[in-house]
């Protein structure tokens, strides 16, 4: 199977360090001066990033994250991921990381959808992702579960179509299934 196109950003080495469940923001969020004219059309492309498990690449160890690329500019992006371990998962976001292919354990990226916006810094897509429930009650809930929950949230908010969400989820599951079961 040919490799998916590469180019967005992310972290890779598992679910992080635990923590207190509060959101973290790293990197510099672009200011309004970078947003450009409100009369021009803008877009945001949502990607699922998949990383091989480490130290052993098995299905349950594969790491999934989301990345929004602004106006097809690979250097203008936002990576959103789940950090921590049960029962202390939290959402973490990192602005303007380099291409994922440069990050350790990068495996694939999958396009979910491109959303047209009126402003470069329209945060509706980001806010819907951050508003998705983080499930700290079920011990088998993971970053993979979170991505599925986010896709459902985006479908319900009509930010992506049911078909786009279902195709992205199926693609993610297929890439995760390429790793050994145990």
């Amino acid at each position: 199977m040919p490799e998916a196109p590469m180019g967005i950003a992310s972290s890779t080495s598992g679910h992080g360090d635990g923590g207190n469940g509060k959101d973290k923001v790293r990197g510099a969020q672009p200011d309004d001066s970078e947003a450009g004219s409100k009369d021009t059309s803008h877009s945001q492309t949502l990607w699922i990033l998949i990383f091989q498990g480490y130290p052993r690449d098995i299905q349950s160890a594969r790491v999934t994250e989301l990345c929004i690329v602004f106006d097809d500019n690979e250097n203008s992006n936002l990576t959103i991921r789940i950090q921590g371990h049960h029962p202390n998962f939290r959402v973490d976001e990192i602005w303007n990381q380099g291409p994922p292919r440069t990050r350790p354990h990068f495996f694939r990226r999958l396009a979910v959808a491109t959303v047209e916006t009126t402003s470069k810094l329209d945060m509706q897509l980001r806010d819907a992702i951050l508003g998705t429930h983080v499930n700290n009650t079920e011990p088998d809930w993971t970053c993979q579960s979170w991505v599925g929950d986010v896709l459902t949230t985006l479908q319900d908010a009509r930010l992506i179509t049911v078909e786009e969400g279902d195709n992205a989820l199926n693609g993610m599951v297929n890439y995760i299934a390429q790793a050994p079961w145990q």
Side-chain angles (χ1 to χ4, degrees):
M1 178 181 308
E3 183 163 324
M6 295 186 191
I8 318 305
S10 173
S11 76
T12 60
S13 55
H15 294 288
D17 60 357
N20 63 6
K22 293 184 180 176
D23 294 350
K24 273 198 203 172
V25 178
R26 284 186 271 159
Q29 180 175 354
D31 62 28
D32 289 333
S33 66
E34 297 176 27
S37 167
K38 294 205 184 259
D39 296 329
T40 60
S41 156
H42 295 277
S43 67
Q44 298 175 6
T45 302
L46 179 64
W47 297 87
I48 297 173
L49 305 178
I50 303 170
F51 296 87
Q52 293 176 333
Y54 180 82
R56 189 167 166 225
D57 186 26
I58 59 175
Q59 291 177 20
S60 62
R62 290 238 162 143
V63 175
T64 56
E65 301 176 353
L66 295 170
C67 184
I68 302 170
V69 174
F70 299 92
D71 289 334
D72 294 322
N73 177 353
E74 299 288 337
N75 295 315
S76 179
N77 62 72
L78 171 62
T79 300
I80 306 173
R81 62 190 181 175
I82 290 295
Q83 289 286 99
H85 299 279
H86 172 76
N88 296 308
F89 287 115
R90 68 185 183 286
V91 176
D92 184 33
E93 59 181 345
I94 304 169
W95 286 89
N96 300 324
Q97 288 192 312
R101 69 181 171 275
T102 65
R103 305 198 57 84
H105 315 294
F106 176 74
F107 182 64
R108 292 281 192 280
R109 76 175 189 170
L110 277 161
V112 176
T114 297
V115 177
E116 298 302 318
T117 62
T118 56
S119 153
K120 180 177 179 179
L121 295 179
D122 180 322
M123 294 291 121
Q124 188 175 7
L125 186 58
R126 171 197 173 260
D127 292 347
I129 294 168
L130 293 178
T132 301
H133 175 70
V134 175
N135 185 340
N136 279 311
T137 58
E138 295 180 34
D140 59 346
W141 190 85
T142 66
C143 60
Q144 298 169 11
S145 310
W146 176 74
V147 168
D149 294 347
V150 167
L151 294 173
T152 299
T153 296
L154 297 177
Q155 289 170 328
D156 291 348
R158 300 188 193 280
L159 293 171
I160 65 172
T161 67
V162 170
E163 182 180 17
E164 289 167 333
D166 290 351
N167 288 341
L169 183 60
N170 289 334
M172 180 184 81
V173 168
N174 287 335
Y175 282 130
I176 289 168
Q178 290 179 9
W181 172 251
Q182 6 182 6

